[in-house]
Amino acid sequence: MVAFKRNDPSQQTLAKLAMNRRRLLALGGLTAGAGALAACGGNTGRGSSEGVSLSQWYHQYGEAGTQQAAEKYAAAYKDATVTINWIPGDYDTALSSGLLAEKEGDYPDVFEGHLNRAMVESGQIVPLDDILADVIDDYTPDDLARNTIDGKIYGVRMIDDPQFLYYRPSLLEEKGITPPATFEELMAAAAELTTGDVKGLFLGNDDSATKLFQPIVFSAGETLLTDANEIGFTKETVLAGAAQVKALHESSSLLVGAPTEAWDPSSIIQNLCAIQWCGLWALPQIIDAHGDDINVIPFPAFGGGTPTVFNGGWDTFVNAKSAHVDEAKDFVKWLWVENEEFILDWNLSYGFHIPPRLSMRGNAEQLQSGPAAEAVRISQEFGWAENPNWTPKMETAVDDMMNHIVLEGADPDAEFDAATATIQGELDSIFG
């Protein structure tokens, strides 16, 4: 499942990928075309109840069988008629338009996405505390926090998607290279592994500068926003990390202009690179290509800090505008809270993901050995999750800062000051 967005991504990280699985953009836009968008992939599961119809929206996942699985789940539900809308292309824009639509059938009753405060303050979604009340302790603190605004839970976790570096052990062994634990070691390994036909490292075609901002911050033990909703990172940390990223970009070790973005494992599968940043979802494809010659490591530490892993994924929400809010909540509870068979199927049969329900993880046999088990381990040890109070405007501010410093050679101090001024302005407007 294409989660890079792109938790994913997420307003948290990996912010400008072509199929961004990481962050829901600030909701807005025109309602024109919402009805046509809602019709994409309109396959229906016919329940036994008459008169209650629900529309469930998904972005277009990349793995074969995912759309058919969603349709299978809908068809199995007996308390409403559920129509699956499978949205290709720019899901964020389609969803923004759909949530503004007024006519039943043009908007989603249930949809997947990523929480941000704008969704709550504009009244677009309803709290789901009641359907989670009996199982609240069966989710990780991160999965609850990423779906909580002002003490209320608005989303139910569907999949957890850690992202890390894949590497070919044989290629490193040939060069006598130990899997890198620091950014300096990663740069050195990437240079050594670069040959005429293979680049040492692939982080993404157009945003590897921006996606490294958050590993820099979290590696230092800092954060985007503190619990008091203040800026949680320092100039010293960010600028030191940006200087290292700039040095990497000025090397010849990065794969740029790959046929697909980094959410897709094609580059390491086709031997275009020795090391690639990607997600757990891609592991089955990579194993099919390279067998036992594959392993994973967290993103190496910056500046004496710790390695990091972005724990992305997808969540499901109920549209406050729905004519059937209670029925939509019942469907979400049935599918994403209670239905172990379908939750495990969605997480393990179409690429690998970590089931959000802790009680179900013991049944995820595919994740209990080899690189999959290592991916789960490092996600637990080094992982971080989105903060729904980190807004798209804040993310754009740090993305611009990193691009200006790393790619354009702009003054680092001035860029940092401009970015933090924008973030502080956002915080002041939200929290006073």
Side-chain angles (χ1 to χ4, degrees):
M1 297 182 183
V2 187
F4 249 67
K5 192 166 79 158
R6 170 274 354 225
N7 197 218
D8 296 279
S10 172
Q11 56 241 39
Q12 284 271 11
T13 192
L14 318 178
K16 293 180 180 177
L17 292 170
M19 292 185 68
N20 189 339
R21 289 180 63 159
R22 300 227 159 276
R23 112 189 131 220
L24 188 67
L25 300 177
L27 295 175
L30 301 176
T31 59
L37 289 166
C40 294
N43 292 282
T44 302
R46 295 295 179 185
S48 60
S49 293
E50 295 295 332
V52 177
S53 296
L54 301 175
S55 176
Q56 183 183 21
W57 285 26
Y58 293 82
H59 81 287
Q60 182 178 358
Y61 285 82
E63 292 81 351
T66 46
Q67 183 175 355
Q68 292 76 18
E71 293 164 2
K72 176 180 71 174
Y73 309 153
Y77 191 60
K78 302 305 181 185
D79 293 333
T81 296
V82 181
T83 299
I84 299 302
N85 290 311
W86 197 255
I87 309 297
D90 187 350
Y91 177 73
D92 290 332
T93 298
L95 180 61
S96 296
S97 297
L99 290 175
L100 292 173
E102 298 291 338
K103 182 181 176 182
E104 186 175 357
D106 288 349
Y107 57 71
D109 299 280
V110 176
F111 63 93
E112 64 176 8
H114 305 85
L115 180 64
N116 63 50
R117 178 170 284 273
M119 298 163 69
V120 175
E121 294 189 344
S122 61
Q124 290 177 320
I125 52 178
V126 300
L128 302 178
D129 303 78
D130 52 341
I131 70 173
L132 292 170
D134 294 337
V135 295
I136 198 74
D137 294 332
D138 204 24
Y139 291 89
T140 68
D142 277 353
D143 281 348
L144 294 175
R146 75 174 90 226
N147 282 306
T148 300
I149 293 281
D150 297 336
K152 293 183 179 180
I153 302 173
Y154 290 89
V156 176
R157 196 66 167 172
M158 300 161 59
I159 53 176
D160 281 326
D161 273 336
Q163 298 175 13
F164 33 73
L165 294 179
Y166 284 98
Y167 70 95
R168 301 273 307 283
S170 64
L171 299 182
L172 272 64
E173 290 167 5
E174 287 174 6
K175 300 284 188 177
I177 298 171
T178 301
T182 68
F183 193 76
E184 293 87 350
E185 291 176 0
L186 178 64
M187 290 179 62
E192 186 70 14
L193 292 165
T194 296
T195 67
D197 299 322
V198 179
K199 288 292 187 178
L201 179 63
F202 181 43
L203 299 177
N205 283 327
D206 60 359
D207 74 334
S208 51
T210 61
K211 74 156 57 94
L212 294 183
F213 169 77
Q214 291 179 37
I216 291 168
V217 169
F218 286 96
S219 180
E222 299 177 1
T223 189
L224 301 180
L225 300 174
T226 68
D227 290 342
N229 288 311
E230 298 173 343
I231 294 173
F233 52 87
T234 62
K235 178 183 283 191
E236 179 182 14
T237 291
V238 171
L239 296 193
Q244 289 184 291
V245 177
K246 183 175 175 61
L248 175 63
H249 271 270
E250 291 173 350
S251 74
S252 59
S253 305
L254 285 176
L255 173 62
V256 179
T260 59
E261 257 300 350
W263 53 262
D264 186 301
S266 295
S267 290
I268 195 166
I269 287 174
Q270 296 173 8
N271 299 312
L272 301 180
C273 63
I275 303 173
Q276 177 175 339
W277 193 349
C278 198
L280 180 59
W281 61 85
L283 181 56
Q285 291 176 263
I286 299 175
I287 290 176
D288 284 345
H290 295 305
D292 293 336
D293 189 22
I294 197 68
N295 211 338
V296 299
I297 53 172
F299 200 88
F302 284 88
T306 61
T308 65
V309 172
F310 175 62
N311 284 331
W314 285 93
D315 311 285
T316 195
F317 302 91
V318 171
N319 187 356
K321 191 179 292 182
S322 170
H324 305 288
V325 167
D326 290 339
E327 291 86 350
K329 290 170 63 176
D330 288 343
F331 172 66
V332 168
K333 183 177 182 180
W334 173 84
L335 178 54
W336 297 120
V337 179
E338 298 177 336
N339 199 315
E340 180 170 354
E341 176 187 353
F342 288 163
I343 291 171
L344 291 177
D345 182 64
W346 190 245
N347 277 268
L348 301 172
S349 298
Y350 317 97
F352 286 171
H353 316 268
I354 303 175
R357 290 288 301 275
L358 298 174
S359 61
M360 297 179 189
R361 293 185 179 187
N363 295 327
E365 296 180 4
Q366 297 93 324
L367 305 181
Q368 294 176 6
S369 62
E374 178 64 6
V376 173
R377 185 192 70 79
I378 64 177
S379 74
Q380 294 170 341
E381 183 174 356
F382 301 115
W384 83 88
E386 301 102 326
N387 182 333
N389 288 315
W390 181 257
T391 68
K393 188 173 181 178
M394 297 176 191
E395 180 63 34
T396 297
V398 297
D399 288 353
D400 289 346
M401 173 192 70
M402 291 294 290
N403 277 328
H404 294 162
I405 293 172
V406 172
L407 305 181
E408 300 172 11
D411 177 66
D413 285 281
E415 291 296 326
F416 182 89
D417 292 344
T420 52
T422 297
I423 294 167
Q424 189 60 53
E426 276 281 272
L427 293 171
D428 291 343
S429 69
I430 294 169
F431 300 106

